[in-house]
Amino acid sequence: MGAGAIATYVVWWYRTREDAVSGRSWAAALRAAALLTAWLILVNPSLPAGEHGGADTPAVLLDASLSMSRPLASGAPGIWSAAVDSAAAHPGVWLFGGAAARYVSADSLPLQPIEVETRLAPALRAAAAAGSRRAVVYTDGEITDAPESLEEARRLGIALSFVELGISYPELGIADVQAPGWVIAGDTAEVRAEVVATDVDADSVRIEIVDEDGRLRAAAWVPSPEAGRLSPARLHLPIRGPAGFQRFQVRLAADPPDPERRDDQRAFYLRVTEQPAGPVLISLRPGWEPSFLIPNLDRLGDAPTAAFLLLADSLVNVEGYRPTSLASVRRRARAAPLLVLHGYGADSPDWLKELAESATRLLILPTGPRAFEFTAWDVQVGAPASGEWYASADVPPSPLALELASSEVEQLPPLLAVRSIRSERAWTPLRLQRLRRGEAVAAVVAGSRGSRRWAVAAAEGYWRWAFRPGPGRQLYRTLWTGVTGWLLADRTSSSAGLEPRERTVDRGGALRWASPSDADSLALELLTTNGEAVWRRVVIAGDSVAAFVPPGRYVYAARAYRDGRRVASAEGPAEVEEFARELLPSARVSLAELVESASAATAAPADGQRRGLATLGWPYLILIALFCAEWAVRRFSGLR
């Protein structure tokens, strides 16, 4: 049927679209033969491999993932050494683990495994393309794509056999560590860790935090997890001076020690300051608005926002959702460069009103049915008006007019509960209209009083703009980063917004940087602790710039530019750990079950070994020859 369709198409084409010249039928026949060959390659029919078709010579697939670098037993050589000794008897070996397999000669095997994951399917495809119908797999059993690999072997008609290279000792590992990026000297930071284990007899495991000098700073006992499960731990780390970056390690105190130590210790960095360096947000009505506003506040500086929610008459820190004392919140709010109050109204508690009156930089998102005022700021906020209010395309003069002028507002959802705000020497970046017509009113009002600056949102429901990607989210980001940026104009550091997304990454991972919102290019450099440059790039701001470097401790130097003028600079530590998730103990694939499944899935057909047409080389040579011959005939006949 396919051949008939191809022949019909070629005849129709040459009869209706080509000139009637001598030799036209020969060109048509050659094109039909070429298209038929291409169709057969796509269909990939199974052909007899023949007695000497390569089926009797198995491909050797060697697991080159990091898990193969673990010792065979306590004090014994590593799995990799045993695997290399076994594979060295073969002339060539396929190294698998990553997205692509590599074929190397037996005398060119690497000294250590090179992959940070274990994927077998790409190696099976590569071996099948090379003509192999059988494969011997040397592995420790930690194959992440085992079901996919068996299905791929069945589809390709490859018979699999496995050589198990396992380990025989209990294993422990730290799967994850979470710590705050910024803390204040004198506070206590909560550090969370997750422990994984296999074949551990002890009921509990001790986990510790040590500083750069190896001094014990915190410790806890966690129950030993079952294989394939995680055991969480919370450690409370008292923070001491000096200010700056401090490096710590979370480690397992195993007794007897785990021979594989690379997954038993994880590093993290804390930035310690004497005073709060980031904005403080207090929400009396937790909801969508704070969840969208906090990331935009974080874009303005290199210190994260400290957010507190009032839940059932208790203040809860968003980081870890743990209760926080009122005294602690008041202390943080008084020292913060910007105080953001969400859900503020006439019935707010007295302590919150006191913070609002005494703040030097203040952003209010009000709520409630009544009007109120800030005496110290000379600002009056009216009662909310009913109806739906839509953003106006007419942007008034303001410090943000240039950024907001091109905003698309036609499809934005409406805001609710709009209030009138009266104050001297105030400005507004955006206006609203009721039902898209009538007199425009302010969406946000901002102003100053001496050296103090304030801003009040005139409506509720801004989060609706940011709920879905598109013009609304862009307008939301431009509006609030612009307003809070104006509030913090003389209080942000020269490194604002220019920090690594993660200061420590796993082996094989990439170090990435966040860029300030007002930058158009970045100049980045990574140096070793000895000052030797190992990586340099100049990139467009906002691009996903990634530095892939070997495990080690580094110092980065970053500079952000706008129109050739430097707007931010930063430097600090960054680290690529020896740790990789591949090293963690896990519930390994049972190779006995895998061999049984592989035998059932990839059993050879009764009529002998066969191979797909697409895995042979000669069909491609024929295809090229036919197209070349058609071209020659057409040229000789005078066809284009």
Side-chain angles (χ1 to χ4, degrees):
M1 185 175 183
I6 291 173
T8 302
Y9 165 76
V10 173
V11 170
W12 169 81
W13 179 272
Y14 269 88
R15 282 183 176 273
T16 61
R17 299 298 181 93
E18 303 288 358
D19 296 332
V21 298
S22 176
R24 182 177 62 169
S25 57
W26 284 103
L30 288 169
R31 177 176 293 189
L35 293 178
L36 179 60
T37 303
W39 176 70
L40 288 173
I41 292 175
L42 291 175
V43 173
N44 194 23
S46 179
L47 302 178
E51 294 182 1
H52 303 288
D56 293 334
T57 302
V60 178
L61 310 183
L62 178 57
D63 186 350
S65 63
L66 282 177
S67 63
M68 293 286 287
S69 64
R70 293 178 298 192
L72 278 166
S74 182
I79 304 174
W80 183 252
S81 299
V84 168
D85 291 342
S86 300
H90 303 273
V93 175
W94 288 98
L95 299 178
F96 72 89
R102 293 198 308 162
Y103 186 79
V104 300
S105 60
D107 56 357
S108 300
L109 292 171
L111 298 177
Q112 292 293 331
I114 55 178
E115 303 289 352
V116 294
E117 57 182 348
T118 309
R119 296 173 59 189
L120 177 58
L124 294 177
R125 288 190 286 268
S132 298
R133 303 271 60 81
R134 292 192 296 128
V136 180
V137 183
Y138 291 85
T139 180
D140 60 352
E142 295 200 9
I143 301 175
T144 57
D145 63 345
E148 177 190 348
S149 298
L150 291 181
E151 176 61 24
E152 196 72 5
R154 184 200 64 77
R155 185 183 69 83
L156 297 171
I158 297 180
L160 295 179
S161 60
F162 292 86
V163 178
E164 182 174 6
L165 301 166
I167 56 176
S168 57
Y169 52 79
E171 282 190 282
L172 296 164
I174 301 175
D176 189 35
V177 172
Q178 297 180 5
W182 199 295
V183 292
I184 303 173
D187 282 355
T188 298
E190 182 178 86
V191 180
R192 298 186 177 188
E194 292 180 335
V195 178
V196 63
T198 55
D199 302 327
V200 175
D201 295 331
D203 295 332
S204 59
V205 178
R206 181 177 169 86
I207 187 169
E208 302 173 342
I209 297 179
V210 296
D211 60 19
E212 187 76 341
D213 298 323
R215 294 188 296 261
L216 181 65
R217 300 287 293 273
W221 288 89
V222 296
S224 297
E226 299 178 1
R229 296 184 177 273
L230 299 171
S231 186
R234 293 189 178 186
L235 299 97
H236 296 91
L237 174 64
I239 304 301
R240 311 167 188 164
F245 292 103
Q246 296 187 18
R247 182 180 183 272
F248 298 90
Q249 271 194 333
V250 180
R251 69 184 185 187
L252 293 173
D255 188 18
D258 182 351
E260 176 52 74
R261 302 296 293 176
R262 287 173 293 177
D263 60 351
D264 293 351
Q265 50 194 9
R266 304 287 300 276
F268 67 93
Y269 288 84
L270 297 181
R271 189 166 189 174
V272 180
T273 60
E274 300 296 338
Q275 295 292 335
V280 169
L281 181 146
I282 302 175
S283 176
L284 303 183
R285 292 183 59 189
W288 287 107
E289 201 72 70
S291 64
F292 285 104
L293 187 58
I294 291 172
N296 287 280
L297 294 174
D298 288 342
R299 289 169 58 88
L300 297 169
D302 47 8
T305 301
F308 304 93
L309 309 179
L310 185 64
L311 300 175
D313 298 328
S314 297
L315 285 166
V316 176
N317 192 333
V318 171
E319 184 180 344
Y321 287 92
R322 60 184 185 274
T324 305
S325 67
L326 176 59
S328 175
V329 173
R330 294 175 68 176
R331 179 172 62 89
R332 292 286 299 273
R334 288 194 183 101
L338 172 64
L339 176 61
V340 182
L341 301 180
H342 170 251
Y344 186 92
D347 56 351
S348 296
D350 292 340
W351 63 267
L352 199 62
K353 293 179 179 179
E354 178 189 347
L355 289 176
E357 295 287 353
S358 61
T360 58
R361 297 290 191 275
L362 178 67
L363 172 60
I364 297 288
L365 290 87
T367 191
R370 296 161 50 192
F372 59 91
E373 66 177 339
F374 298 105
T375 305
W377 299 87
D378 192 22
V379 177
Q380 292 84 39
V381 181
S386 61
E388 296 182 340
W389 299 78
Y390 293 84
S392 172
D394 183 18
V395 177
S398 75
L400 308 183
L402 187 61
E403 288 82 359
L404 294 173
S406 59
S407 299
E408 301 177 15
V409 300
E410 290 77 11
Q411 303 298 323
L412 298 185
L415 304 182
L416 306 174
V418 172
R419 302 168 182 267
S420 62
I421 301 171
R422 295 187 299 275
S423 179
E424 296 182 1
R425 293 188 301 175
W427 57 273
T428 180
L430 190 68
R431 291 194 176 104
L432 304 172
Q433 288 180 298
R434 189 172 186 175
L435 300 178
R436 301 189 190 277
R437 59 182 180 269
E439 182 181 358
V441 299
V444 180
V445 178
S448 60
R449 188 174 178 84
S451 62
R452 305 167 71 192
R453 293 187 176 187
W454 57 271
V456 179
E460 298 179 25
Y462 297 89
W463 61 267
R464 298 179 178 185
W465 294 352
F467 194 77
R468 293 177 179 171
R473 181 169 295 181
Q474 182 60 41
L475 176 61
Y476 184 93
R477 176 180 297 176
T478 303
L479 175 65
W480 289 119
T481 55
V483 170
T484 52
W486 176 81
L487 292 172
L488 289 168
D490 58 348
R491 294 199 162 200
T492 54
S493 68
S494 62
S495 62
L498 186 56
E499 292 287 321
R501 299 185 185 276
E502 294 179 333
R503 291 195 179 276
T504 59
V505 297
D506 300 350
R507 182 171 183 164
L511 292 167
R512 302 178 187 273
W513 280 262
S515 58
S517 57
D518 59 344
D520 56 26
S521 62
L522 301 178
L524 303 169
E525 185 178 31
L526 272 179
L527 304 94
T528 65
T529 53
N530 297 327
E532 179 183 354
V534 296
W535 183 88
R536 289 190 180 97
R537 290 291 188 278
V538 176
V539 297
I540 298 174
D543 283 0
S544 181
V545 54
F548 291 92
V549 291
R553 297 174 61 178
Y554 300 94
V555 176
Y556 71 88
R559 297 176 299 279
Y561 296 89
R562 182 177 182 86
D563 298 328
R565 178 177 59 88
R566 187 164 68 180
V567 295
S569 60
E571 61 181 25
E575 185 169 344
V576 179
E577 297 188 274
E578 289 286 348
F579 168 84
R581 303 200 67 83
E582 177 71 16
L583 298 171
L584 289 173
S586 62
R588 295 180 182 82
V589 177
S590 170
L591 290 186
E593 297 178 3
L594 198 60
V595 169
E596 182 178 351
S597 300
S599 299
T602 64
D607 58 347
Q609 295 287 347
R610 304 178 67 85
R611 61 188 304 178
L613 181 68
T615 65
L616 303 174
W618 55 265
Y620 300 95
L621 296 177
I622 293 177
L623 181 64
I624 295 172
L626 289 172
F627 277 123
C628 291
E630 184 201 4
W631 175 84
V633 170
R634 289 174 62 88
R635 296 282 292 181
F636 182 78
S637 302
L639 295 174
R640 291 184 179 180

